[in-house]
Amino acid sequence: MTDRRLSNSTRQALPASVAVPGYDRNRVVPGIIHLGVGAFHRAHQAAYVDDCLAAGETDWGIVGVSLRSADTRDALAPQDGLYTLAVRSSDSESLRVVGSILSMLVAPEAPGAVLAALTDPRTAIVTLTITEKAYLRAAGGGLDTAHPDIVHDLANPQMPRTAHGFLAEALARRRVAGIQPFTVLCCDNLPANGATLHRLLVEFAALRGTDLARHIADEVAFPSSMVDRIVPATTDADRARISGQLGVDDAWPVITEPFCQWVIEDDFPAGRPDWERFGVTMVGDVGPFEDMKLRLLNGSHSAIAYLGLLSGFETVDRAFADPAIRQFVDGLWAEAITTLPKDAGLDTADYTAQLAKRYSNTALAHRTAQIANDGSQKLPQRIIASAMERMSGGAPPAYLMLVVAAWIAACAARGKSLPENHFTDPLDLALAALDTRHLSAGEAVAAVFDLGGFAKDGAERLTLIDLAAAHLERLRQGGVAAAFTALGIASE
């Protein structure tokens, strides 16, 4: 590690091979608040905004907000918000310093400062990447009104903990002050994410008062979006390598792939950056693109993660290089593609070909355990929805339901063939309790469906349980090879 940090004062001394912000950061004013400043945001939305700032759109600087941990703030504050984005393919790496994050706030430390930033008239857009579980949905999809943080925020609107509490209170304050509402842009992997967040926030606001709920329902824009870029966790080796190339220390660089996609519903009453100049697709309906990404990329990512973990593969590229897993993914895509709209202009052949290339990128070292987190929150959108639609069309979702069985088996393997806490899930305590009961495969799958609210009230529920149970029994008896054999896939 070096004696100097990446910062405004050291960025001009970086090697010529490193791209640096060419604009005057002192002239940039904040126009976007981002909730959930993790690696994905810094590799995706913040990079697009950085392009806009470089083109002279200086009204769109980002104020980052961490809703839980101070780690990102503590890493970036000494660096004036600067960080390195390392774009890696199997045979090359390019480094770029991103300057679009002007400052960072940590909500638990300074909720008042977060509310002040959200209420600032210059704030026109609030973006979110808070992960699926932070939307605090109950099993039926509505707001979990019994969640302790929701209860707290309703009782303490001046000191919120959740995104719901911050957004509702800020919108209430703006309304009283006569300030136009900001646009709320969800960038998480939720079905119809804008509409979903809109509904949840209206439900939350209704618990505070009907006037606020009506205002949010009628006056606040919640465009949907689809985001896509693979961003593995940064390792200590990444930090050391990148700091060595920079000649200064970067406490938290971000690693990503060359591919990047953002599709946004064009509904921004308070204005927006000219994102389309830099490759963003502005559309009237994000739905078909979102479904393709959730079901083909995210669904296969989960499949590779759980089957890879059960097969002893630590990274996506190694798992995908296994001929049997590769053949399984092709079969999974074939099932999921039949559930996508036929008249939306989707090129699924090109999309899956790009996915295969991306999964084969040996430089990313995207850990299967990282992808495996929060399966109970992810599988309903990525797998269960496809399986239900496929069944409604009269076709069996055999490949899709193996993913569910593999998730259950991988969860049960922690502390046995997999390390304890190798990945985590919001249902971990309940899942651990199930393991102590030594249930049959059918009983275990049915109990998990109940816990996760999978296919709740769906006519296909019992059939899906039976399919997943048959797969789980094979996984228990003969491992992944036995499950593949039942699908006609030969393991080597």
Side-chain angles (χ1 to χ4, degrees), residues 92-107:
S92 66
E93 178 177 61
S94 62
L95 302 184
R96 166 188 179 182
V97 175
V98 177
S100 54
I101 298 178
L102 305 181
S103 62
M104 283 201 58
L105 300 169
V106 180

Side-chain angles (χ1 to χ4, degrees), residues 59-362:
D59 293 336
W60 298 108
I62 298 171
V63 174
V65 176
S66 291
L67 292 176
R68 297 296 182 199
S69 169
D71 291 351
T72 306
R73 189 276 314 274
D74 292 347
L76 297 190
Q79 302 179 180
D80 300 315
L82 297 172
Y83 61 91
T84 310
L85 182 61
V87 180
R88 305 188 71 189
S89 61
S90 294
D91 55 6
S92 66
E93 178 177 61
S94 62
L95 302 184
R96 166 188 179 182
V97 175
V98 177
S100 54
I101 298 178
L102 305 181
S103 62
M104 283 201 58
L105 300 169
V106 180
E109 294 179 2
V114 175
L115 287 171
L118 289 166
T119 310
D120 188 324
R122 298 175 298 179
T123 298
I125 301 171
V126 177
T127 54
L128 301 89
T129 51
I130 58 177
T131 76
E132 293 93 333
K133 62 185 176 183
Y135 289 88
L136 306 179
R137 292 174 294 166
L143 183 68
D144 182 2
T145 57
H147 192 283
D149 288 345
I150 294 294
V151 173
H152 170 276
D153 284 5
L154 292 170
N156 304 276
Q158 312 296 319
M159 300 184 64
R161 296 174 179 169
T162 68
H164 314 65
F166 278 108
L167 292 173
E169 177 64 15
L171 287 167
R173 293 184 181 189
R174 292 174 78 102
R175 182 182 180 220
V176 170
I179 303 170
Q180 181 180 15
F182 44 66
T183 297
V184 183
L185 178 60
C186 179
C187 300
D188 279 302
N189 289 321
L190 301 173
N193 56 10
T196 298
L197 178 54
H198 190 193
R199 173 175 51 78
L200 291 170
L201 196 60
V202 169
E203 288 183 37
F204 177 85
L207 299 173
R208 291 188 37 163
T210 55
D211 286 348
L212 178 59
R214 189 178 301 113
H215 172 68
I216 293 173
D218 297 341
E219 304 297 333
V220 183
F222 287 76
S224 287
S225 75
M226 186 276 281
V227 298
D228 190 359
R229 197 171 210 185
I230 295 172
V231 185
T234 302
T235 67
D236 289 340
D238 292 326
R239 289 182 175 87
R241 184 188 71 259
I242 291 169
S243 294
Q245 293 180 59
L246 296 176
V248 295
D249 188 20
D250 185 345
W252 207 332
V254 180
I255 316 302
T256 193
E257 61 172 336
F259 181 92
C260 193
Q261 186 179 27
W262 198 3
V263 183
I264 307 176
E265 180 185 355
D266 200 355
D267 182 16
F268 291 82
R272 63 169 177 82
D274 191 8
W275 278 314
E276 55 264 62
R277 287 183 60 189
F278 303 100
V280 176
T281 304
M282 306 301 299
V283 298
D285 182 10
V286 173
F289 297 90
E290 175 189 75
D291 287 343
M292 182 169 69
K293 191 253 183 172
L294 279 169
R295 298 181 184 190
L296 300 187
L297 183 145
N298 297 126
S300 61
H301 239 182
S302 290
I304 293 168
Y306 300 123
L307 293 168
L309 286 170
L310 294 172
S311 302
F313 296 113
E314 293 186 1
T315 61
V316 169
D317 62 289
R318 292 178 183 175
F320 194 64
D322 178 78
I325 290 179
R326 178 70 176 85
Q327 187 178 343
F328 174 82
V329 170
D330 282 338
L332 182 74
W333 282 336
E335 286 189 354
I337 284 170
T338 65
T339 71
L340 297 173
K342 306 297 187 293
D343 57 353
L346 302 177
D347 188 343
T348 56
D350 178 69
Y351 190 71
T352 52
Q354 289 192 62
L355 289 181
K357 181 179 179 181
R358 296 165 67 190
Y359 292 167
S360 301
N361 187 343
T362 58

